[in-house]
Amino acid sequence: MKRKLRMGMVGGGKDAFIGAVHRIAAFMDGKIELVCGAFSIDPVISKESGEELFVSPDRVYATYEEMIAKEAQLPEGERMDFLTIVTPNFLHFGPAKLALENGFDVVVEKPMTVSLEEAKELQETVERTGRTLCLTHTYSGYPMIKQAKAMVKEGHFGKIRKIVVEYPQGWLSRLSEREGNAGAAWRADPKRSGKSLVMGDIGTHAAHLAEYVSGLRITEVCADLSTMVEGRLLDDDGSVLLRFEDKAKGVLMASQISAGEENAVRIRIYGEKGGLEWANEDPNNLIIKMLDQPRQLYRTGNAYAAPFTLSSFATHNTRIPAGHPEGLLESFANIYRNFALTVSAKREGKQPTPEMLDFPNVYDGVRGMAFIENVVNNNEGTEKWTKFVV
Ligand code: NAI
């Protein structure tokens, strides 16, 4: 493409959290510009947000329906190319479906929808329209996560036996939803959040990471969900025993009442010959633990000699030389860059490379929604283990 891709936004106004992170990530590589938005549920905040972001006032819209309808009528050289959706969970499906049906590509926050049924409908829409949908599972964009995935895939650890993934946070240790915290209020409301708070908000990140790095799919679950904070309407803590393809076993812990924790995502995977460990709070390190050998530390951005050479997926997603920290914003930007490269390649009639196509998509969104529903159903039922149904 000889120009930047034009982005529109639903949500992400002055009253929002993650929208601003999306803009930093989208702009990092100079491939994307913001041209329009319905930035807030409040039209005044939407207008003020548009002004602050230097968006032309005639392209700041009151609703996403108006935005999609009007943008679709603009000439090809002006209209937005894709829509980023950064609203509460219950407002993902509507704009995503409408945008796809009107010829726009989509970037949407997780969880992709609030039900598996909606998720499958989006999959059908993507397949029928041929458009691209990107789901922002943030942690999958890190170079050392790419390296971990590549090492598992090439058989470095032998057959995988055990996958342990954790996402503890502490920010919902109190009843914050009743104390004026808007982000907590919609997350803890079943109508706006979905069937599970903890699994929708962070458990899906952990489940995606486990399947992405291991290359194995979850086949059965045994779940225990709890509401630890009195008065809360949804769960805030969960432990899930997992069975994967190829007889691998796993444990997933997602918790928002782990008082004192920040965003302590961690994954450990063990095969017959050794294992790996990666943590979000130290993301440029990948610890490799092989049987009968000293531990090794792989670090982002190094030009190691064979047989330690970093994979093409790790280097493709690295921006600066070793020792200069890359973090969550760069990981997020990797997702946007790969999405932008894929959309541009498709528009030019070219086949995107595997590295370009390496971002979470509609199929990951369907698995994420299936994960939530399978865990909730298992927790409510009487069977110890239940099959993972999609
Ligand atoms: P937030 O509550 O801070 O912001 C929501 C925004 O959506 C606000 O600007 C609000 O005015 C706007 N909005 C609500 N209804 C709207 C409508 N009808 N039209 C236009 N705008 C509307 O929420 P937050 O924390 O930014 O989360 C948004 C989404 O991002 C959620 O689905 C959440 O799960 C996800 N998220 C993902 C993260 C990640 O690591 N990938 C991190 C944080 C959030």
Side-chain angles (χ1 to χ4, degrees):
M1 293 270 285
K2 299 219 164 31
R3 62 167 178 82
K4 293 186 181 192
L5 286 181
R6 293 184 285 261
M7 165 169 134
M9 285 192 109
V10 190
K14 294 196 313 184
D15 53 344
F17 161 48
I18 204 70
V21 176
H22 276 254
R23 286 189 292 271
I24 293 169
F27 301 160
M28 193 175 281
D29 295 290
K31 295 187 184 309
I32 294 169
E33 63 182 328
L34 179 68
V35 295
C36 62
F39 295 106
S40 171
I41 185 77
D42 179 336
V44 176
I45 294 179
S46 180
K47 189 168 169 289
E48 288 171 2
S49 305
E51 275 167 20
E52 282 186 10
L53 295 164
F54 306 108
V55 173
S56 171
D58 60 337
R59 291 177 82 178
V60 178
Y61 302 97
T63 65
Y64 74 81
E65 290 94 336
E66 184 197 358
M67 170 161 71
I68 291 169
K70 292 211 170 132
E71 287 290 320
Q73 282 164 15
L74 290 178
E76 158 73 30
E78 275 178 52
R79 68 169 170 257
M80 72 170 172
D81 294 301
F82 74 93
L83 181 63
T84 283
I85 300 163
V86 279
T87 43
N89 303 349
F90 78 108
L91 266 165
H92 292 178
F93 173 77
K97 170 105 175 146
L98 198 61
L100 293 165
E101 297 284 9
N102 280 275
F104 301 111
D105 297 306
V106 164
V107 175
V108 59
E109 262 300 349
K110 46 48 60 180
M112 189 166 76
T113 55
V114 286
S115 73
L116 179 56
E117 204 185 336
E118 283 181 352
K120 286 182 178 171
E121 195 174 329
L122 278 192
Q123 177 183 326
E124 183 279 323
T125 312
V126 166
E127 287 170 350
R128 176 168 41 79
T129 58
R131 303 251 60 97
T132 303
L133 183 145
C134 168
L135 183 75
T136 44
H137 274 307
T138 323
Y139 309 98
S140 64
Y142 282 109
M144 285 300 101
I145 284 292
K146 309 288 186 196
Q147 180 62 19
K149 180 179 173 65
M151 290 174 83
V152 171
K153 193 173 175 193
E154 76 191 16
H156 193 83
F157 309 104
K159 183 172 148 38
I160 298 304
R161 291 170 165 166
K162 187 88 181 171
I163 299 161
V164 183
V165 64
E166 308 156 43
Y167 196 157
Q169 295 179 329
W171 74 288
L172 292 176
S173 294
R174 299 190 189 94
L175 202 58
S176 315
E177 56 268 42
R178 305 265 177 88
E179 295 166 4
N181 182 328
W186 72 253
R187 280 175 173 81
D189 173 2
K191 290 201 189 74
R192 291 183 284 170
S193 192
K195 290 180 184 163
S196 167
L197 162 55
V198 74
M199 290 301 155
D201 209 32
I202 56 175
T204 48
H205 276 311
H208 176 259
L209 207 53
E211 290 198 342
Y212 178 71
V213 178
S214 72
L216 299 173
R217 291 180 160 217
I218 299 166
T219 56
E220 286 178 74
V221 297
C222 169
D224 180 24
L225 299 178
S226 313
T227 305
M228 292 289 184
V229 174
E230 209 175 316
R232 180 159 284 152
L233 299 179
L234 283 169
D235 51 59
D236 49 25
D237 180 75
S239 310
V240 190
L241 295 178
L242 302 165
R243 288 179 179 158
F244 289 84
E245 295 167 325
D246 277 352
K247 300 204 170 106
K249 300 276 174 97
V251 185
L252 182 149
M253 182 270 256
S255 170
Q256 296 180 299
I257 49 83
S258 294
E261 290 289 4
E262 295 172 342
N263 283 285
V265 186
R266 188 160 72 126
I267 184 163
R268 286 171 285 166
I269 297 185
Y270 305 96
E272 292 164 322
K273 297 192 275 183
L276 65 85
E277 177 172 346
W278 176 90
N280 179 50
E281 292 180 349
D282 205 0
N284 296 294
N285 285 344
L286 175 64
I287 304 169
I288 302 296
K289 309 165 183 180
M290 301 306 290
L291 263 184
D292 308 323
Q293 292 180 22
R295 283 189 185 180
Q296 292 171 348
L297 187 63
Y298 280 65
R299 301 253 311 142
T300 303
N302 279 284
Y304 299 130
F308 304 104
T309 319
L310 294 177
S311 80
S312 64
F313 288 86
T315 52
H316 172 75
N317 289 286
T318 302
R319 291 183 175 72
I320 44 176
H324 301 303
E326 295 195 32
L328 185 94
L329 297 174
E330 287 84 353
S331 178
F332 221 122
N334 289 337
I335 294 174
Y336 263 97
R337 187 175 54 178
N338 292 339
F339 164 77
L341 289 170
T342 292
V343 168
S344 300
K346 280 169 80 174
R347 284 176 184 221
E348 288 171 350
K350 294 181 190 155
Q351 175 60 35
T353 65
E355 285 84 355
M356 292 174 185
L357 288 166
D358 181 27
F359 58 86
N361 59 28
V362 73
Y363 300 100
D364 298 296
V366 170
R367 286 200 67 76
M369 291 316 301
F371 176 74
I372 296 169
E373 297 211 354
N374 279 279
V375 164
V376 168
N377 290 342
N378 177 278
N379 181 64
E380 286 171 356
T382 52
E383 293 286 305
K384 184 171 161 191
W385 283 98
T386 47
K387 293 243 176 293
F388 189 96
V389 187
V390 180

